[in-house]
Amino acid sequence: MSGHSKWSTIKHKKSQTDARRGKLFAKLIKQVEVAAREGGGDPDSNPTLRTMYQKARDNSVPLDTIERAIKRGTGELEGVNYVPVSYEAYAPAGVALYIECLTDNRNRTGSDVRSTLTRAGGSLAQPGSVSWQFERKGLLNVKATVDEDELMVVAIDTGAEDIVKSEEAFRVITEATELHLVRQALEDAGIPFDSADVVMQPTTTVVISDVATAKQIVQLMDALDNLDDVQEVYANFDISDELLDSLA
């Protein structure tokens, strides 16, 4: 499991606290609302909304809260007009960052991201200088206790590109457009999984072994993730599981 994937697992565990969970709910609701605004309120005909809807349900967002977000997105209810904006940046040691936001004020969001990067030893990058190091993929984290042969048959036959095994989980990688098909196949086969998301997967990684640098990177990632307008932070660092566990 790459360092960034391990960090995502740690972040998921931290989100179980009330304060983190409230922030996570707010971010997921924004994602549902924007998906409905951009592609319509029917999950069956709007694959982005279908993914965001299911992600919200997976994280126990109440159904009525999701439905209200969809109605705000389609204009049936009054709401704030959030727009997607992304930033490319560098963390210490040249680690590439791709930061996805939803905002109703670009100036505020840009200022918050820039100041957070500066305080933690990072810097904004020119558009296009970082994004080429990532590709959009579907990712399912499947429980490590499942039968590997059954998982491979079901996932690969449905269109999964790769399955990566670690001590904690299987990572099933798909094309972003195929995520819902593989997810449905796993559900139909009774194969349990912890999450299913469309992510920015790094194509190259930067190995970090220095403790001080690793700590600085993780603190920067955490600070960015805590910003209200930031939805996801992707990075191409590779820090050992043991080192990340010690920092967590």
Side-chain angles (χ1 to χ4, degrees):
M1 181 180 292
S2 73
H4 181 252
S5 299
K6 179 69 174 182
W7 181 84
S8 298
T9 302
I10 292 170
K11 185 180 72 171
H12 177 72
K13 291 177 180 177
K14 290 166 69 177
S15 74
Q16 302 310 305
T17 65
D18 289 343
R20 290 271 182 166
R21 199 162 192 79
K23 189 176 289 289
L24 175 64
F25 276 20
K27 290 185 177 186
L28 293 172
I29 292 165
K30 274 187 184 180
Q31 292 172 6
V32 169
E33 188 172 331
V34 171
R37 179 175 294 116
E38 293 184 344
D42 182 4
D44 290 334
S45 59
N46 181 347
T48 302
L49 177 59
R50 180 169 57 239
T51 298
M52 294 301 103
Y53 180 101
Q54 195 59 59
K55 185 177 178 180
R57 293 297 292 149
D58 289 345
N59 286 277
S60 303
V61 178
L63 184 58
D64 61 339
T65 301
I66 298 173
E67 291 175 344
R68 285 196 300 272
I70 292 174
K71 289 180 179 179
R72 287 195 298 272
T74 58
E76 295 175 67
L77 294 176
E78 186 176 351
V80 177
N81 185 22
Y82 296 110
V83 295
V85 59
S86 61
Y87 299 92
E88 300 177 40
Y90 289 105
V95 169
L97 302 177
Y98 190 83
I99 307 161
E100 293 182 338
C101 306
L102 291 175
T103 181
D104 60 341
N105 186 322
R106 288 174 178 265
N107 291 334
R108 179 197 66 227
T109 303
S111 177
D112 287 347
V113 169
R114 185 180 298 106
S115 62
T116 300
L117 287 165
T118 301
R119 286 196 302 270
S123 60
L124 279 177
Q126 293 296 319
S129 61
V130 165
S131 58
W132 64 270
Q133 299 180 65
F134 297 85
E135 54 185 0
R136 195 167 293 279
K137 293 291 183 180
L139 175 64
L140 298 101
N141 284 307
V142 180
K143 296 182 183 298
T145 54
V146 306
D147 182 87
E148 184 174 2
D149 291 336
E150 181 185 8
L151 173 62
M152 290 190 67
V153 169
V154 173
I156 298 299
D157 283 356
T158 316
E161 294 183 343
D162 196 11
I163 299 175
V164 181
K165 183 180 181 181
S166 72
E167 292 183 3
E168 296 188 352
F170 293 99
R171 300 175 67 242
V172 180
I173 301 167
T174 76
E175 285 293 340
T177 55
E178 302 297 309
L179 174 64
H180 69 285
L181 295 177
V182 178
R183 177 194 176 109
Q184 187 62 55
L186 295 186
E187 289 179 343
D188 292 345
I191 298 176
F193 53 89
D194 291 323
S195 63
D197 298 299
V198 175
V199 302
M200 293 292 281
Q201 186 92 347
T203 55
T204 61
T205 57
V206 178
V207 177
I208 305 296
S209 56
D210 177 70
V211 175
T213 303
K215 183 176 182 179
Q216 195 174 12
I217 292 170
V218 170
Q219 287 177 338
L220 171 57
M221 296 281 288
D222 209 28
L224 287 168
D225 192 61
N226 277 330
L227 295 176
D228 289 341
D229 295 334
V230 171
Q231 301 299 299
E232 297 290 347
V233 185
Y234 301 105
N236 71 339
F237 66 76
D238 192 352
I239 302 173
S240 70
D241 290 354
E242 294 76 18
L243 180 52
L244 269 178
D245 284 335
S246 69
L247 296 175

